Amino acid sequence: MVKNYATFDFGRSYFRDQSVLKLIGEKLPVSMSLGLWMTLISYSVSIPLGIAKAVRDGARFDMWTSNLIIIGYAIPSFLFAMLLIVLFSGGSFWQIFPLRGLTSDDFDQLSLIGKIGDYFWHIALPVVSMTLGAFATQTFLTKNSFLDEIRKQYVQTARMKGLTENRVLYGHVFRNAMLIVIAGFPGAFVHAFLTGSVLIETIFSLDGLGYLSYESIVNRDYPVVFANLYIFALLGLVVNLLSDLTYTWIDPRIDFETREV
């Protein structure tokens, strides 16, 4: 078994009677799409919002946005997903977005622009559901990182030299404050990719790894279950290594080899 797993030979699925590795490869793009878009949207909103909150620390804008972020973080993603379905997928109100699947049945006959539009039309509600509670951690982490840097002596020195506030903020503070935020990007992506999509894939009938794992556990399809656990654990180890390497890439001053024992 150890030899087979080292060569990514997971055998065949009991329930589907096909290669486990091929089965996982077929489901991987769906989960990667959800995780990638969730992470990109989360960072695109959280970083500017965190900077704005740090600059306006204690102001009304900071208080109101904090309340909204905390409320969004407290709402379970699956509950928000069901609310979106009721409102926008023909539950009781509007039939705007499709209820299931990642593409339409006539996807192959569409033009390139039509395929892109169809893809985003299907993935809109699942991504919004997953992203709702993802802003809180990154936003407050960005805000606190900026506040820590803004209070340091070099920032005061830059202001005394007559630099504009934007030059001080984005030319000096940004790189140091973003170290811990950007370095955590690989971990945030894998967290969304591995754990955040199980319920969402089930609710929206998206045939990804999360739904495959759930279905395999219910059907006691042990080769698929063990293969998913193995791949998830391996990806977690690789991502932890990438996170550590990202620290050095962002800030070359971090070099453990030059430290004295």
Side-chain angles (χ1 to χ4, degrees), residues 71-137:
I71 293 173
Y73 183 74
I75 299 176
S77 60
F78 71 91
L79 185 62
F80 189 64
M82 290 188 287
L83 176 63
L84 292 179
I85 290 175
V86 171
L87 291 177
F88 302 110
S89 293
S92 299
F93 295 90
W94 302 282
Q95 179 66 51
I96 300 176
F97 295 96
L99 182 59
R100 57 183 301 162
L102 199 60
T103 56
S104 300
D105 295 334
D106 60 344
F107 182 79
D108 293 334
Q109 283 74 42
L110 298 175
S111 62
L112 178 60
I113 297 178
K115 289 181 179 179
I116 295 174
D118 183 74
Y119 167 76
F120 284 107
W121 183 46
H122 281 78
I123 207 173
L125 294 188
V127 170
V128 170
S129 303
M130 293 176 61
T131 309
L132 177 67
F135 296 119
T137 303

Side-chain angles (χ1 to χ4, degrees), residues 5 7 15 30 39-40 64 89 97 109 113 128 145 160 176 183 185-186 202 208 213 221 227 229 232 239 256 261:
Y5 273 53
T7 57
F15 184 69
V30 176
T39 307
L40 289 178
W64 278 104
S89 293
F97 295 96
Q109 283 74 42
I113 297 178
V128 170
S145 298
M160 292 174 63
N176 295 327
F185 180 86
T202 304
S213 300
D221 197 350
L229 290 175
F232 289 171
V239 165
F256 295 102
V261 180

Side-chain angles (χ1 to χ4, degrees), residues 6 58 126 164 171 214 226 234:
T164 62
Y214 168 75
F226 291 152
L234 187 62

Side-chain angles (χ1 to χ4, degrees), residues 136-149:
T137 303
Q138 296 300 332
T139 301
F140 287 118
L141 181 61
T142 303
K143 175 189 173 181
N144 293 332
S145 298
F146 264 79
L147 287 178
D148 289 340
E149 292 295 324

